[in-house]
Amino acid sequence: MKLTPAFLFAIAAALVLPALAGADEKHSEIIFKLKDGSRNAEIAARAVKGIGRLEARKRHQSDFVLEVKEGLTAQQAILKLRKNAEIVAAVIRFDAAAEGGEGENEEGQGKGMKYDRLDALRYWFEQRAYPFGKIDRDAYQRAVIQRKEMPAEKIGSTDRIHPTTTTNVWEFLGPKNLGGAGGTTPFSGRVNGLVYNPTNLNIIYAATASGGVWKTTDAGINWTPLSDSWPFMYTSCLAISPDGNTLYCGTGDFNTDYAITGVTFGSGVMKSTDGGATWTQLGLADGFNNYSVSKIIVDPETPSTVTISLGRGRADTSFSGVGYVYRSTNSGATWTKVLNVNDGWSDLSCSAISGGVRYYYAVSQNGKLYRSADRGATWALLTSPALAGGNIVRIAAHPTTQTIAYLLDSNASKVFKTGNAGASWIDVTSNMATTNDWGQSWYDATIAVSQNAGQDFIYIGLIDV
């Protein structure tokens, strides 16, 4: 099968530019658009209440300009706007005059003018929505299916354009050591999950945001990719069986997968029983490929029992965080929806055992908190200390004390602790920084707990640890 223009369009049609909300905080104006291109100023005014003051419309009549109120950063304002169902796009305004541009004429053109980010976003969408004015989110999946049907190229064949040599065709040159601001150099991309083989601590697996799963057998000196043949390489989490033989990977990048981007496609749950050499795709019959799999628990005593949390992804048509909690009792062959509460389930955690009981916790990005006392079969709603806000919420059960757990709420920039299995919580944020480090907690926030000599050690991963 040839690489046809239709195939290329199928790929391009599903690519959507992320909302560039991480812009310089010195800009205090935001351009936003109401759904269906509405020009209703009353709706726009209600949408920005408490966030700032509505200015005149910008170049395009369906755009509104918000002057962010004092004390609120542009990034915080963007996050608040994203939660409003009336708003379909919001970006920080790029002010041409502030950057030395020479202005623009009535048509939005002029010598030295600079377009704002919403212009770029609109242009990107318009290209890919042609000719029906709507982006086909299934085009990418169809392209993947067609890719599988295409014959593999034979490197070195004489009847193709490739060179005749079969060795040293390509050599990776870099970048191998990317740099960045904020004291984070060196870095090379976001890692969403890590697990190690309990029977061999030199074997570690890493789940990356968009680079798939990697494996090291020498404690991190060398790494080998394991997922280059997968339909998509967006991954969120990993879990491994107690004997180290079975590995599960949750696909889709939950941390950044909002409906407005729609590009971090999930492939369900991937399972390997041979150390990552081969993989089986699970959950397609249950529609898992429409979500991101945020967390997986393999039961320590009964490893055939596997519990997963889902959220965000292509199934999410708003910023509400669509998803559920599922459970399998046959190592992923079949699945049952055990928590039929629609939300973006961002984390699961399994407690220490006492009296044969382990508590499972499930927490959503909107602050919902549930607990299971029967290994995920049934769930009870708990009073949650977390706020509803759509950001990442994480929970970490104590490794040795069954009734202790810690909860990280990036909606409120706080950390909470329970000593009675979630019946009540206390704020233990104390003097922890609550400003700069939380600035990206809508997608990079994690918590872990360990114990040494009777003392708890809590690790919070934000911009810094």
Side-chain angles (χ1 to χ4, degrees), residues 13-268:
L15 295 176
V16 184
L17 183 68
L20 301 176
D24 192 336
E25 295 295 349
K26 70 182 181 180
H27 299 296
S28 60
E29 288 188 346
I30 290 174
I31 303 173
F32 66 94
K33 188 180 186 70
L34 298 177
K35 67 180 182 181
D36 301 323
S38 172
R39 304 177 185 180
N40 192 316
E42 291 185 6
I43 295 177
R46 288 197 300 268
V48 303
K49 186 176 181 180
I51 304 175
R53 184 168 61 91
L54 192 65
E55 296 286 348
R57 294 192 187 101
K58 203 179 179 295
R59 177 162 48 253
H60 300 278
Q61 288 190 3
S62 59
D63 294 347
F64 293 90
V65 178
L66 165 67
E67 182 181 341
V68 180
K69 72 176 183 180
E70 186 176 352
L72 197 66
T73 67
Q75 177 67 28
Q76 291 170 332
I78 287 281
L79 293 176
K80 289 179 179 292
L81 290 173
R82 282 182 170 182
K83 298 167 191 173
N84 192 312
E86 296 292 336
I87 294 177
V88 295
V91 294
I92 300 171
R93 181 178 183 180
F94 187 89
D95 192 335
E99 297 295 328
E102 297 184 20
E104 59 188 74
N105 60 26
E106 195 174 53
E107 298 299 321
Q109 301 177 359
K111 182 179 178 182
M113 80 153 290
K114 298 183 180 180
Y115 289 94
D116 59 55
R117 288 168 176 80
L118 194 56
D119 290 321
L121 186 64
R122 178 185 294 104
Y123 180 68
W124 186 275
F125 271 100
E126 287 174 349
Q127 285 184 309
R128 285 147 183 83
Y130 180 83
F132 303 112
K134 180 180 179 181
I135 291 179
D136 183 356
R137 291 182 178 272
D138 292 325
Y140 212 155
Q141 285 284 1
R142 293 198 302 273
V144 169
I145 294 172
Q146 185 169 351
R147 181 186 65 188
K148 290 181 178 180
E149 297 174 351
M150 296 170 64
E153 184 59 88
K154 297 179 180 179
I155 303 296
S157 61
T158 57
D159 61 336
R160 302 296 180 103
I161 63 173
H162 297 294
T164 57
T165 178
T166 59
T167 61
N168 299 325
V169 178
W170 291 99
E171 178 184 356
F172 178 68
L173 297 180
K176 299 178 180 179
N177 189 12
L178 298 175
T184 58
T185 55
F187 73 87
S188 56
R190 178 160 44 86
V191 176
N192 285 335
L194 283 171
V195 295
Y196 62 87
N197 188 323
T199 65
N200 185 344
L201 300 186
N202 288 321
I203 299 178
I204 305 170
Y205 301 89
T208 65
S210 58
V213 176
W214 294 71
K215 178 181 181 180
T216 177
T217 58
D218 50 19
I221 298 175
N222 298 288
W223 292 86
T224 302
L226 302 179
S227 53
D228 287 355
S229 62
W230 291 8
F232 308 104
M233 290 195 292
Y234 304 103
T235 60
S236 286
C237 61
L238 290 162
I240 195 167
S241 61
D243 60 8
N245 293 330
T246 305
L247 186 69
Y248 298 89
C249 176
T251 67
D253 182 14
F254 176 87
N255 289 355
T256 59
D257 199 349
Y258 281 100
I260 198 168
T261 61
V263 295
T264 59
F265 288 87
S267 309

Side-chain angles (χ1 to χ4, degrees), residues 300-324:
E301 284 72 48
T302 311
S304 59
T305 297
V306 183
T307 305
I308 66 172
S309 54
L310 304 177
R312 299 180 176 174
R314 290 184 299 147
D316 192 355
T317 56
S318 67
F319 297 120
S320 59
V322 174
Y324 303 94

